[in-house]
Amino acid sequence: MNSENNEIIPVMLVDDEPQILLSYSVMLKSEGIGPVASFDDSRRVIPFLREHPVSLAVLDLSMPFVNGRDLLKQIGDEFPRTQVIIVTAMNDIDTAVACMREGAVDYLVKPVEKNRFISSIHRALEISQLKNQVD
């Protein structure tokens, strides 16, 4: 994914399962949300963010190399304007609370229903837009 003139990319999807990335991308495209940057290798996320502004990162928690929780912390530290939604198969209240305390704007459990997913994306993008206006 490339971005000309540092145009802000609305959504970055990060999941080690290509089918999930495709499914989420199709959902977003059907709602007119894009462009979308998709990564199945979590090691590519931070270098990409250093080159391209992103409004929202949607992260899976359980991934090889760099897990979603570590990415959440690093994004929060280095890219505080980037909102983060965690999407995971882990339905654990303690993990959800910890992620929210660490800066996630939402915690969704797979399989995520389309309306819930899109609603969460819209809300996170609105938060991002409001923060950018305040800054």
Side-chain angles (χ1 to χ4, degrees), residues 23-48:
S23 174
Y24 292 165
S25 293
V26 168
M27 279 190 240
L28 294 173
K29 186 176 182 179
S30 74
E31 295 295 318
I33 299 170
V36 174
S38 296
F39 296 96
D40 60 5
D41 184 339
S42 57
R43 296 172 293 185
R44 295 179 51 211
V45 171
I46 299 302
F48 183 85

Side-chain angles (χ1 to χ4, degrees), residues 72-85:
L72 171 63
K73 291 175 190 168
Q74 197 167 359
I75 290 169
D77 290 343
E78 289 189 48
F79 312 98
R81 290 178 136 180
T82 301
Q83 304 304 299
V84 177
I85 294 173

Side-chain angles (χ1 to χ4, degrees), residues 10-11 13 27-34 55-58 83-85 105-106 108 113-131:
V11 181
L13 302 172
M27 279 190 240
L28 294 173
K29 186 176 182 179
S30 74
E31 295 295 318
I33 299 170
S55 296
L56 168 64
V58 178
Q83 304 304 299
V84 177
I85 294 173
V105 295
D106 209 345
L108 306 174
E113 191 265 323
K114 179 182 177 182
N115 289 338
R116 174 76 174 99
F117 182 73
I118 296 300
S119 172
S120 182
I121 296 288
H122 280 300
R123 195 174 113 256
L125 290 174
E126 286 173 15
I127 291 169
S128 177
Q129 185 178 26
L130 290 171
K131 283 187 173 187

Side-chain angles (χ1 to χ4, degrees), residues 42-121:
S42 57
R43 296 172 293 185
R44 295 179 51 211
V45 171
I46 299 302
F48 183 85
L49 286 171
R50 289 183 179 138
E51 299 285 324
H52 308 278
V54 173
S55 296
L56 168 64
V58 178
L59 308 176
D60 183 22
L61 273 187
S62 301
M63 296 182 287
F65 310 117
V66 183
N67 68 46
R69 192 101 173 254
D70 290 342
L71 278 177
L72 171 63
K73 291 175 190 168
Q74 197 167 359
I75 290 169
D77 290 343
E78 289 189 48
F79 312 98
R81 290 178 136 180
T82 301
Q83 304 304 299
V84 177
I85 294 173
I86 300 294
V87 182
T88 181
M90 192 183 319
N91 189 5
D92 177 67
I93 192 75
D94 292 333
T95 303
V97 169
C99 288
M100 300 298 278
R101 284 186 179 150
E102 291 165 7
V105 295
D106 209 345
Y107 184 97
L108 306 174
V109 178
K110 295 176 184 175
V112 182
E113 191 265 323
K114 179 182 177 182
N115 289 338
R116 174 76 174 99
F117 182 73
I118 296 300
S119 172
S120 182
I121 296 288

